[in-house]
Amino acid sequence: MFPLESVRLPGEELPLRIFEPRYGALVRECLGDAREFGVVLIAAGREVGGEDARCDVGSMAHIVEYQDLGEGHYLLACEMRERIRVTSWLDDDPYPRADVEPWPDEPGSAVSGDDIAAVEDRLMETFERLAAAKKTTLPSRLELLGEPEPGDDAGRRLYALSSRVPMGQADRYAVLAAPSAAARLDALRDAVETVAAMIEFQLAGGGTPD
């Protein structure tokens, strides 16, 4: 397991520079096996040296490319894949370890294309408001929001859309930990409204958000 101070959603890329000895050991073991490890958010404390509190919902990272820099240091290019849930944390020996299980989306209310389009429209309104305040040209909707990949269902499209929203880590975790696609849609709606309200607050103060 690799605890981080940020939430990584299925479908995202994860570049890592490994320099700590215990994570060098993790990488060596992964390279000799399935090239996968779990990634979870640090809920409190610091990752370096341990003594951190870890969230129990995360994603599996698959090592796509790596560079061995010597002396236990690595550069990794990873792809986040299926969502997982920790069933029990084990002793760090020498790196964080846990028993995990896949956590696919649970049954819930149907999420339609119109539901997702409505969130996309609201997000575009927010981006357009920010671009107008900064007097900049907004990229196209396709560039900003992407488009569904072949075979994507509503749950995966919501992950992909969420990865493009400049939300805080708590909101990203709410998206990741939503049990169903319908619950993920609600979490994303809330996150978009939070971002929109933050932008309006900053603009009302006479400034322009970064």
Side-chain angles (χ1 to χ4, degrees):
M1 300 296 292
F2 200 112
L4 287 176
E5 294 180 351
S6 60
V7 175
R8 296 293 169 160
L9 302 174
E12 290 186 318
E13 295 178 352
L14 174 63
L16 288 173
R17 183 182 181 91
I18 305 298
F19 58 88
E20 198 176 341
R22 58 178 176 161
Y23 290 120
L26 179 151
V27 171
R28 286 192 296 275
E29 182 167 337
C30 288
L31 291 176
D33 192 11
R35 293 198 175 195
E36 288 189 324
F37 55 90
V39 174
V40 293
L41 175 69
I42 297 172
R46 295 188 61 82
E47 182 273 334
V48 176
E51 302 302 325
D52 49 53
R54 303 157 186 166
C55 293
D56 289 334
V57 179
S59 301
M60 291 299 295
H62 181 82
I63 301 173
V64 178
E65 295 180 357
Y66 74 95
Q67 183 178 354
D68 187 342
L69 304 178
E71 299 183 351
H73 296 192
Y74 296 89
L75 289 178
L76 304 181
C78 304
E79 179 184 278
M80 305 310 300
R81 296 189 175 175
E82 67 181 340
R83 179 173 66 169
I84 56 172
R85 183 163 45 189
V86 173
T87 57
S88 63
W89 284 99
L90 308 175
D91 292 337
D92 288 14
D93 185 22
Y95 47 79
R97 299 180 305 134
D99 290 327
V100 305
E101 63 183 8
W103 189 20
D105 282 346
E106 298 174 4
S109 302
V111 175
S112 69
D114 288 343
D115 292 330
I116 295 175
V119 177
E120 292 176 344
D121 289 343
R122 180 65 175 122
L123 186 55
M124 285 303 300
E125 290 175 5
T126 303
F127 287 152
E128 288 164 358
R129 175 80 170 103
L130 182 57
K134 289 187 169 185
K135 297 182 172 61
T136 59
T137 301
L138 195 66
S140 69
R141 183 184 182 109
L142 181 61
E143 289 180 88
L144 287 171
L145 305 183
E147 61 182 351
E149 295 291 332
D152 274 359
D153 57 16
R156 293 198 66 82
R157 174 56 183 160
L158 289 168
Y159 279 137
L161 190 56
S162 298
S163 70
R164 294 171 176 265
V165 179
M167 65 178 83
Q169 297 306 316
D171 285 331
R172 284 175 64 86
Y173 188 74
V175 167
L176 178 64
S180 65
R184 186 168 306 122
L185 176 66
D186 289 339
L188 178 56
R189 283 174 176 153
D190 289 345
V192 171
E193 291 305 323
T194 297
V195 171
M198 184 183 307
I199 289 173
E200 291 300 330
F201 177 78
Q202 291 176 328
L203 293 178
T208 55
D210 294 333

